[in-house]
Structures are given as structure tokens and as C-alpha cells.
Amino acid sequence: QVQLVESGGGSVQAGGSLRLSCAVSGTYSTFCMGWFRQAPGKEREGVAALSISSGGTVAADSVKGRFTMSQDNEKRMLYLQMNSLKPEDTAVYYCAAAPALKCYSTAWSLEPGYKYWGQGTQVTVSS
């Protein structure tokens, strides 16, 4: 069993930065870990994913060059550094864990591959 707890959300002006954190409990050394977001009235979408075993990452085109996903294995933490934030980045952000998903497959951004989810943290970007 894996539990995920996000933190770090808040309100920021356009162009600003935030760092989201995800505390992980349980065994997850071979998992693909992801960040998703859901804006009001929209479907949840994949933002970035990280392979715990290799440390490699993938990201959605909409956030490439602005968002960076990383891990601290000693602290059992995942991070999403978000720079140059835009109003369209406003959403609830979720941390998710996929025991059997390969992060470099095209399925990394699809919800069904992820078995465990956090409760979400709100990010609001004002113009």
C-alpha cells in the first residue's frame, strides 16, 4: 500500500513560481510516479512523470521548459518545481503512483495506469 500527501499549493501571480511536494509512504522503488492536474470544468491531465528506478522524467508539452519533476529518495519526497506560471496552470494538482507503468510509454499521462492518488493541492495563478 502506498500513501501520497501533497503540499505546497497556493496563490501566485503570473510569472511566479511554486514548488509542490509529495510525501510518499510504502514501497515504491520500481514505480512510475506522476503529477496530474484538474482545472475547473476540465478533465484531469498528466503534467509530468518520473521513473523512481532511473530518475528519468517526462513532461507534457504545455509545461516543458517551465516545470521540473524531481525526487529525494532519502526523504521519500517528490517535487514539482513550477516556474513562469500562467493563469492556465490554475488547477488542483495531484500526486499519483503507478506500480506497473513504464514512465517512458505513451500511457504515462493517462489516469488508468495509476493505482494510488493523493488528495490534491490547489494552485491558483492570477494575471
Side-chain angles (χ1 to χ4, degrees), residues 29-78:
S29 60
T30 61
F31 285 18
C32 175
M33 305 296 291
W35 282 100
F36 284 73
R37 67 185 181 186
Q38 187 166 23
K42 294 187 177 181
E43 294 187 353
R44 193 149 54 180
E45 62 174 355
V47 175
L50 179 149
S51 169
I52 296 297
S53 57
S54 71
T57 61
V58 292
D61 288 343
S62 59
V63 305
K64 279 182 181 176
R66 299 189 299 123
F67 291 13
T68 303
M69 187 172 179
S70 62
Q71 63 176 328
D72 184 329
N73 289 336
E74 285 191 12
K75 295 182 179 179
R76 302 177 64 84
M77 297 290 292
L78 297 166

Side-chain angles (χ1 to χ4, degrees), residues 47-120:
V47 175
L50 179 149
S51 169
I52 296 297
S53 57
S54 71
T57 61
V58 292
D61 288 343
S62 59
V63 305
K64 279 182 181 176
R66 299 189 299 123
F67 291 13
T68 303
M69 187 172 179
S70 62
Q71 63 176 328
D72 184 329
N73 289 336
E74 285 191 12
K75 295 182 179 179
R76 302 177 64 84
M77 297 290 292
L78 297 166
Y79 303 103
L80 185 68
Q81 178 66 44
M82 305 186 296
N83 299 328
S84 302
L85 282 161
K86 305 175 182 180
E88 52 263 44
D89 295 318
T90 294
V92 177
Y93 283 72
Y94 298 89
C95 182
L101 181 67
K102 296 188 183 301
C103 276
Y104 295 108
S105 73
T106 55
W108 75 264
S109 61
L110 303 177
E111 289 184 66
Y114 293 80
K115 182 176 181 179
Y116 304 103
W117 293 83
Q119 82 289 351

